Structures are given as structure tokens and as C-alpha cells.
mmCIF file of all heavy atoms in Angstrom:
data_model
loop_
_atom_site.group_PDB
_atom_site.id
_atom_site.type_symbol
_atom_site.label_atom_id
_atom_site.label_comp_id
_atom_site.label_asym_id
_atom_site.label_seq_id
_atom_site.Cartn_x
_atom_site.Cartn_y
_atom_site.Cartn_z
ATOM 1 N N PHE A 960 23.437 40.926 -9.182
ATOM 2 C CA PHE A 960 23.230 42.368 -9.059
ATOM 3 C C PHE A 960 23.138 42.765 -7.590
ATOM 4 O O PHE A 960 22.305 42.245 -6.848
ATOM 5 C CB PHE A 960 21.955 42.767 -9.808
ATOM 6 C CG PHE A 960 21.574 44.220 -9.697
ATOM 7 C CD1 PHE A 960 22.533 45.212 -9.562
ATOM 8 C CD2 PHE A 960 20.241 44.598 -9.754
ATOM 9 C CE1 PHE A 960 22.176 46.546 -9.468
ATOM 10 C CE2 PHE A 960 19.868 45.926 -9.673
ATOM 11 C CZ PHE A 960 20.835 46.904 -9.523
ATOM 12 N N TYR A 961 24.012 43.705 -7.191
ATOM 13 C CA TYR A 961 24.076 44.177 -5.809
ATOM 14 C C TYR A 961 23.911 45.698 -5.787
ATOM 15 O O TYR A 961 24.458 46.402 -6.638
ATOM 16 C CB TYR A 961 25.411 43.786 -5.168
ATOM 17 C CG TYR A 961 25.569 42.287 -5.053
ATOM 18 C CD1 TYR A 961 25.941 41.520 -6.149
ATOM 19 C CD2 TYR A 961 25.304 41.632 -3.857
ATOM 20 C CE1 TYR A 961 26.058 40.142 -6.060
ATOM 21 C CE2 TYR A 961 25.420 40.257 -3.756
ATOM 22 C CZ TYR A 961 25.795 39.512 -4.859
ATOM 23 O OH TYR A 961 25.902 38.156 -4.762
ATOM 24 N N LEU A 962 23.171 46.181 -4.791
ATOM 25 C CA LEU A 962 22.880 47.609 -4.705
ATOM 26 C C LEU A 962 23.322 48.147 -3.345
ATOM 27 O O LEU A 962 22.951 47.613 -2.300
ATOM 28 C CB LEU A 962 21.383 47.853 -4.903
ATOM 29 C CG LEU A 962 20.935 49.309 -5.077
ATOM 30 C CD1 LEU A 962 21.545 49.922 -6.336
ATOM 31 C CD2 LEU A 962 19.403 49.384 -5.153
ATOM 32 N N CYS A 963 24.097 49.233 -3.374
ATOM 33 C CA CYS A 963 24.613 49.855 -2.159
ATOM 34 C C CYS A 963 23.999 51.242 -1.976
ATOM 35 O O CYS A 963 23.749 51.954 -2.947
ATOM 36 C CB CYS A 963 26.134 50.005 -2.240
ATOM 37 S SG CYS A 963 27.021 48.477 -2.640
ATOM 38 N N GLY A 964 23.757 51.620 -0.727
ATOM 39 C CA GLY A 964 23.222 52.944 -0.429
ATOM 40 C C GLY A 964 22.067 52.857 0.545
ATOM 41 O O GLY A 964 21.782 51.796 1.103
ATOM 42 N N ASP A 965 21.386 53.997 0.744
ATOM 43 C CA ASP A 965 20.220 53.983 1.630
ATOM 44 C C ASP A 965 18.920 53.813 0.854
ATOM 45 O O ASP A 965 17.854 53.630 1.448
ATOM 46 C CB ASP A 965 20.178 55.237 2.507
ATOM 47 C CG ASP A 965 20.029 56.538 1.713
ATOM 48 O OD1 ASP A 965 19.473 56.517 0.608
ATOM 49 O OD2 ASP A 965 20.480 57.583 2.220
ATOM 50 N N GLY A 966 19.006 53.902 -0.487
ATOM 51 C CA GLY A 966 17.839 53.687 -1.328
ATOM 52 C C GLY A 966 16.816 54.801 -1.282
ATOM 53 O O GLY A 966 15.752 54.680 -1.890
ATOM 54 N N VAL A 967 17.153 55.903 -0.599
ATOM 55 C CA VAL A 967 16.168 56.977 -0.405
ATOM 56 C C VAL A 967 16.701 58.331 -0.841
ATOM 57 O O VAL A 967 16.116 59.003 -1.687
ATOM 58 C CB VAL A 967 15.726 57.049 1.074
ATOM 59 C CG1 VAL A 967 14.751 58.205 1.272
ATOM 60 C CG2 VAL A 967 15.103 55.738 1.520
ATOM 61 N N SER A 968 17.798 58.767 -0.244
ATOM 62 C CA SER A 968 18.288 60.127 -0.459
ATOM 63 C C SER A 968 18.739 60.339 -1.900
ATOM 64 O O SER A 968 19.331 59.465 -2.517
ATOM 65 C CB SER A 968 19.444 60.441 0.495
ATOM 66 O OG SER A 968 20.541 59.588 0.247
ATOM 67 N N ASP A 969 18.428 61.515 -2.430
ATOM 68 C CA ASP A 969 18.736 61.815 -3.826
ATOM 69 C C ASP A 969 19.127 63.281 -3.943
ATOM 70 O O ASP A 969 18.390 64.167 -3.502
ATOM 71 C CB ASP A 969 17.505 61.518 -4.690
ATOM 72 C CG ASP A 969 17.783 61.617 -6.179
ATOM 73 O OD1 ASP A 969 18.842 62.150 -6.560
ATOM 74 O OD2 ASP A 969 16.940 61.170 -6.970
ATOM 75 N N VAL A 970 20.266 63.531 -4.537
ATOM 76 C CA VAL A 970 20.730 64.910 -4.692
ATOM 77 C C VAL A 970 19.763 65.733 -5.525
ATOM 78 O O VAL A 970 19.713 66.949 -5.418
ATOM 79 C CB VAL A 970 22.152 64.932 -5.305
ATOM 80 C CG1 VAL A 970 22.124 64.469 -6.751
ATOM 81 C CG2 VAL A 970 22.779 66.303 -5.174
ATOM 82 N N ALA A 971 18.959 65.079 -6.360
ATOM 83 C CA ALA A 971 17.970 65.786 -7.177
ATOM 84 C C ALA A 971 16.904 66.457 -6.321
ATOM 85 O O ALA A 971 16.215 67.365 -6.765
ATOM 86 C CB ALA A 971 17.319 64.824 -8.166
ATOM 87 N N ASN A 972 16.773 66.009 -5.079
ATOM 88 C CA ASN A 972 15.789 66.607 -4.163
ATOM 89 C C ASN A 972 16.400 67.724 -3.331
ATOM 90 O O ASN A 972 15.944 68.025 -2.228
ATOM 91 C CB ASN A 972 15.236 65.527 -3.230
ATOM 92 C CG ASN A 972 14.454 64.472 -3.985
ATOM 93 O OD1 ASN A 972 13.841 64.764 -5.002
ATOM 94 N ND2 ASN A 972 14.490 63.245 -3.507
ATOM 95 N N ASN A 973 17.459 68.358 -3.875
ATOM 96 C CA ASN A 973 18.150 69.469 -3.217
ATOM 97 C C ASN A 973 18.794 69.069 -1.888
ATOM 98 O O ASN A 973 18.896 69.879 -0.967
ATOM 99 C CB ASN A 973 17.190 70.654 -2.994
ATOM 100 C CG ASN A 973 16.693 71.238 -4.300
ATOM 101 O OD1 ASN A 973 17.473 71.415 -5.234
ATOM 102 N ND2 ASN A 973 15.404 71.533 -4.376
ATOM 103 N N ILE A 974 19.196 67.819 -1.796
ATOM 104 C CA ILE A 974 19.951 67.345 -0.637
ATOM 105 C C ILE A 974 21.425 67.358 -1.019
ATOM 106 O O ILE A 974 21.796 66.894 -2.093
ATOM 107 C CB ILE A 974 19.515 65.926 -0.236
ATOM 108 C CG1 ILE A 974 18.011 65.886 0.034
ATOM 109 C CG2 ILE A 974 20.274 65.452 0.984
ATOM 110 C CD1 ILE A 974 17.487 64.469 0.278
ATOM 111 N N SER A 975 22.248 67.876 -0.140
ATOM 112 C CA SER A 975 23.657 68.017 -0.470
ATOM 113 C C SER A 975 24.398 66.682 -0.430
ATOM 114 O O SER A 975 23.947 65.712 0.174
ATOM 115 C CB SER A 975 24.320 68.982 0.517
ATOM 116 O OG SER A 975 24.252 68.445 1.833
ATOM 117 N N LEU A 976 25.535 66.653 -1.112
ATOM 118 C CA LEU A 976 26.447 65.529 -1.055
ATOM 119 C C LEU A 976 27.624 65.925 -0.174
ATOM 120 O O LEU A 976 28.221 66.976 -0.372
ATOM 121 C CB LEU A 976 26.964 65.176 -2.453
ATOM 122 C CG LEU A 976 25.971 64.536 -3.408
ATOM 123 C CD1 LEU A 976 26.530 64.536 -4.823
ATOM 124 C CD2 LEU A 976 25.635 63.121 -2.976
ATOM 125 N N VAL A 977 27.939 65.095 0.812
ATOM 126 C CA VAL A 977 29.082 65.366 1.676
ATOM 127 C C VAL A 977 30.066 64.209 1.569
ATOM 128 O O VAL A 977 29.672 63.046 1.425
ATOM 129 C CB VAL A 977 28.665 65.584 3.142
ATOM 130 C CG1 VAL A 977 27.841 66.853 3.279
ATOM 131 C CG2 VAL A 977 27.887 64.394 3.675
ATOM 132 N N ALA A 978 31.346 64.537 1.626
ATOM 133 C CA ALA A 978 32.396 63.558 1.350
ATOM 134 C C ALA A 978 32.275 62.274 2.170
ATOM 135 O O ALA A 978 32.352 61.180 1.611
ATOM 136 C CB ALA A 978 33.767 64.201 1.541
ATOM 137 N N PRO A 979 32.113 62.350 3.516
ATOM 138 C CA PRO A 979 32.123 61.097 4.282
ATOM 139 C C PRO A 979 31.027 60.120 3.868
ATOM 140 O O PRO A 979 31.281 58.912 3.767
ATOM 141 C CB PRO A 979 31.933 61.564 5.733
ATOM 142 C CG PRO A 979 32.422 62.977 5.745
ATOM 143 C CD PRO A 979 32.035 63.521 4.406
ATOM 144 N N ARG A 980 29.838 60.619 3.604
ATOM 145 C CA ARG A 980 28.735 59.708 3.276
ATOM 146 C C ARG A 980 28.904 59.118 1.878
ATOM 147 O O ARG A 980 28.607 57.939 1.646
ATOM 148 C CB ARG A 980 27.395 60.423 3.412
ATOM 149 C CG ARG A 980 26.246 59.475 3.757
ATOM 150 C CD ARG A 980 25.087 60.203 4.419
ATOM 151 N NE ARG A 980 24.130 59.237 4.936
ATOM 152 C CZ ARG A 980 23.096 58.763 4.239
ATOM 153 N NH1 ARG A 980 22.881 59.184 3.009
ATOM 154 N NH2 ARG A 980 22.273 57.880 4.773
ATOM 155 N N VAL A 981 29.388 59.929 0.950
ATOM 156 C CA VAL A 981 29.672 59.412 -0.390
ATOM 157 C C VAL A 981 30.770 58.358 -0.317
ATOM 158 O O VAL A 981 30.690 57.303 -0.953
ATOM 159 C CB VAL A 981 30.082 60.565 -1.327
ATOM 160 C CG1 VAL A 981 30.554 60.022 -2.669
ATOM 161 C CG2 VAL A 981 28.916 61.526 -1.535
ATOM 162 N N MET A 982 31.795 58.620 0.490
ATOM 163 C CA MET A 982 32.901 57.672 0.624
ATOM 164 C C MET A 982 32.453 56.366 1.271
ATOM 165 O O MET A 982 32.945 55.288 0.920
ATOM 166 C CB MET A 982 34.030 58.303 1.430
ATOM 167 C CG MET A 982 34.728 59.443 0.694
ATOM 168 S SD MET A 982 35.931 60.322 1.724
ATOM 169 C CE MET A 982 37.243 59.103 1.791
ATOM 170 N N ILE A 983 31.512 56.458 2.206
ATOM 171 C CA ILE A 983 30.988 55.239 2.843
ATOM 172 C C ILE A 983 30.282 54.370 1.814
ATOM 173 O O ILE A 983 30.472 53.148 1.766
ATOM 174 C CB ILE A 983 30.037 55.604 4.004
ATOM 175 C CG1 ILE A 983 30.835 56.188 5.166
ATOM 176 C CG2 ILE A 983 29.237 54.388 4.464
ATOM 177 C CD1 ILE A 983 29.993 56.903 6.193
ATOM 178 N N CYS A 984 29.480 54.992 0.954
ATOM 179 C CA CYS A 984 28.789 54.224 -0.082
ATOM 180 C C CYS A 984 29.793 53.646 -1.072
ATOM 181 O O CYS A 984 29.659 52.494 -1.498
ATOM 182 C CB CYS A 984 27.776 55.112 -0.795
ATOM 183 S SG CYS A 984 26.652 54.199 -1.893
ATOM 184 N N ALA A 985 30.800 54.427 -1.422
ATOM 185 C CA ALA A 985 31.844 53.938 -2.323
ATOM 186 C C ALA A 985 32.575 52.751 -1.701
ATOM 187 O O ALA A 985 32.905 51.778 -2.397
ATOM 188 C CB ALA A 985 32.828 55.064 -2.647
ATOM 189 N N ALA A 986 32.821 52.832 -0.395
ATOM 190 C CA ALA A 986 33.488 51.718 0.290
ATOM 191 C C ALA A 986 32.625 50.461 0.266
ATOM 192 O O ALA A 986 33.143 49.348 0.126
ATOM 193 C CB ALA A 986 33.815 52.112 1.733
ATOM 194 N N HIS A 987 31.312 50.626 0.382
ATOM 195 C CA HIS A 987 30.410 49.474 0.271
ATOM 196 C C HIS A 987 30.555 48.825 -1.102
ATOM 197 O O HIS A 987 30.623 47.592 -1.215
ATOM 198 C CB HIS A 987 28.961 49.921 0.478
ATOM 199 C CG HIS A 987 28.492 49.838 1.888
ATOM 200 N ND1 HIS A 987 27.771 48.772 2.369
ATOM 201 C CD2 HIS A 987 28.635 50.699 2.933
ATOM 202 C CE1 HIS A 987 27.484 48.973 3.652
ATOM 203 N NE2 HIS A 987 28.004 50.133 4.013
ATOM 204 N N GLU A 988 30.586 49.652 -2.151
ATOM 205 C CA GLU A 988 30.732 49.099 -3.495
ATOM 206 C C GLU A 988 32.072 48.379 -3.655
ATOM 207 O O GLU A 988 32.132 47.260 -4.177
ATOM 208 C CB GLU A 988 30.604 50.203 -4.552
ATOM 209 C CG GLU A 988 29.178 50.682 -4.772
ATOM 210 C CD GLU A 988 28.982 51.327 -6.133
ATOM 211 O OE1 GLU A 988 29.252 50.670 -7.162
ATOM 212 O OE2 GLU A 988 28.556 52.500 -6.178
ATOM 213 N N ALA A 989 33.152 49.028 -3.225
ATOM 214 C CA ALA A 989 34.478 48.423 -3.371
ATOM 215 C C ALA A 989 34.584 47.118 -2.593
ATOM 216 O O ALA A 989 35.146 46.127 -3.088
ATOM 217 C CB ALA A 989 35.550 49.415 -2.914
ATOM 218 N N LEU A 990 34.051 47.105 -1.374
ATOM 219 C CA LEU A 990 34.113 45.889 -0.569
ATOM 220 C C LEU A 990 33.297 44.772 -1.202
ATOM 221 O O LEU A 990 33.711 43.611 -1.205
ATOM 222 C CB LEU A 990 33.620 46.163 0.848
ATOM 223 C CG LEU A 990 33.627 44.952 1.794
ATOM 224 C CD1 LEU A 990 35.030 44.361 1.930
ATOM 225 C CD2 LEU A 990 33.065 45.336 3.163
ATOM 226 N N MET A 991 32.138 45.111 -1.760
ATOM 227 C CA MET A 991 31.326 44.086 -2.411
ATOM 228 C C MET A 991 32.053 43.500 -3.608
ATOM 229 O O MET A 991 31.996 42.291 -3.867
ATOM 230 C CB MET A 991 29.975 44.678 -2.842
ATOM 231 C CG MET A 991 28.935 43.614 -3.213
ATOM 232 S SD MET A 991 28.490 42.562 -1.817
ATOM 233 C CE MET A 991 29.026 40.951 -2.368
ATOM 234 N N VAL A 992 32.759 44.349 -4.354
ATOM 235 C CA VAL A 992 33.562 43.862 -5.478
ATOM 236 C C VAL A 992 34.593 42.853 -4.989
ATOM 237 O O VAL A 992 34.740 41.757 -5.553
ATOM 238 C CB VAL A 992 34.263 45.037 -6.195
ATOM 239 C CG1 VAL A 992 35.288 44.502 -7.198
ATOM 240 C CG2 VAL A 992 33.251 45.916 -6.902
ATOM 241 N N ILE A 993 35.302 43.196 -3.939
ATOM 242 C CA ILE A 993 36.334 42.311 -3.398
ATOM 243 C C ILE A 993 35.725 41.015 -2.881
ATOM 244 O O ILE A 993 36.263 39.923 -3.096
ATOM 245 C CB ILE A 993 37.133 43.034 -2.300
ATOM 246 C CG1 ILE A 993 37.944 44.176 -2.923
ATOM 247 C CG2 ILE A 993 38.051 42.068 -1.552
ATOM 248 C CD1 ILE A 993 38.564 45.118 -1.918
ATOM 249 N N ARG A 994 34.580 41.112 -2.211
ATOM 250 C CA ARG A 994 33.909 39.913 -1.716
ATOM 251 C C ARG A 994 33.511 38.991 -2.877
ATOM 252 O O ARG A 994 33.698 37.773 -2.812
ATOM 253 C CB ARG A 994 32.679 40.291 -0.888
ATOM 254 C CG ARG A 994 33.021 40.796 0.499
ATOM 255 C CD ARG A 994 31.783 41.298 1.252
ATOM 256 N NE ARG A 994 30.703 40.324 1.294
ATOM 257 C CZ ARG A 994 30.669 39.276 2.124
ATOM 258 N NH1 ARG A 994 31.674 39.068 2.960
ATOM 259 N NH2 ARG A 994 29.647 38.453 2.121
ATOM 260 N N LEU A 995 32.977 39.569 -3.929
ATOM 261 C CA LEU A 995 32.560 38.765 -5.078
ATOM 262 C C LEU A 995 33.758 38.087 -5.735
ATOM 263 O O LEU A 995 33.700 36.893 -6.073
ATOM 264 C CB LEU A 995 31.826 39.638 -6.097
ATOM 265 C CG LEU A 995 30.441 40.126 -5.675
ATOM 266 C CD1 LEU A 995 29.925 41.189 -6.637
ATOM 267 C CD2 LEU A 995 29.456 38.967 -5.582
ATOM 268 N N LEU A 996 34.829 38.816 -5.899
ATOM 269 C CA LEU A 996 36.024 38.238 -6.523
ATOM 270 C C LEU A 996 36.671 37.176 -5.644
ATOM 271 O O LEU A 996 37.346 36.273 -6.149
ATOM 272 C CB LEU A 996 37.025 39.337 -6.851
ATOM 273 C CG LEU A 996 36.567 40.334 -7.929
ATOM 274 C CD1 LEU A 996 37.567 41.471 -8.053
ATOM 275 C CD2 LEU A 996 36.377 39.638 -9.278
ATOM 276 N N SER A 997 36.449 37.276 -4.335
ATOM 277 C CA SER A 997 37.007 36.283 -3.425
ATOM 278 C C SER A 997 36.119 35.043 -3.308
ATOM 279 O O SER A 997 36.502 34.053 -2.702
ATOM 280 C CB SER A 997 37.193 36.888 -2.034
ATOM 281 O OG SER A 997 35.938 37.104 -1.391
#
């Protein structure tokens, strides 16, 4: 089990979602998938 993100920020707390930061977290997930498969 692997967890990506900052572990703190939550859109439920009225914090906005912006494309670059969401994409960075998505890239962490995708890269971890590739690392695991490799």
C-alpha cells in the first residue's frame, strides 16, 4: 500500500483544486505504478 499527496489539504475544507497540483499528485501515482510493475 502506497499513499501519494501532502496528507493534509482537503477540498472539503473549502480549499480549491488547481490543475498543476492535482496533476503532480496524479503523476506520483502513475510513477509509483510503473515503479512497482518494474
Side-chain angles (χ1 to χ4, degrees):
F960 177 31
Y961 296 79
L962 190 63
C963 307
D965 63 27
V967 178
S968 63
D969 188 347
V970 69
N972 295 329
N973 296 317
I974 304 173
S975 63
L976 289 167
V977 294
R980 208 157 190 270
V981 173
M982 291 173 73
I983 289 165
C984 190
H987 268 263
E988 285 203 57
L990 180 59
M991 194 64 243
V992 170
I993 293 169
R994 284 174 53 78
L995 290 169
L996 294 173
S997 71

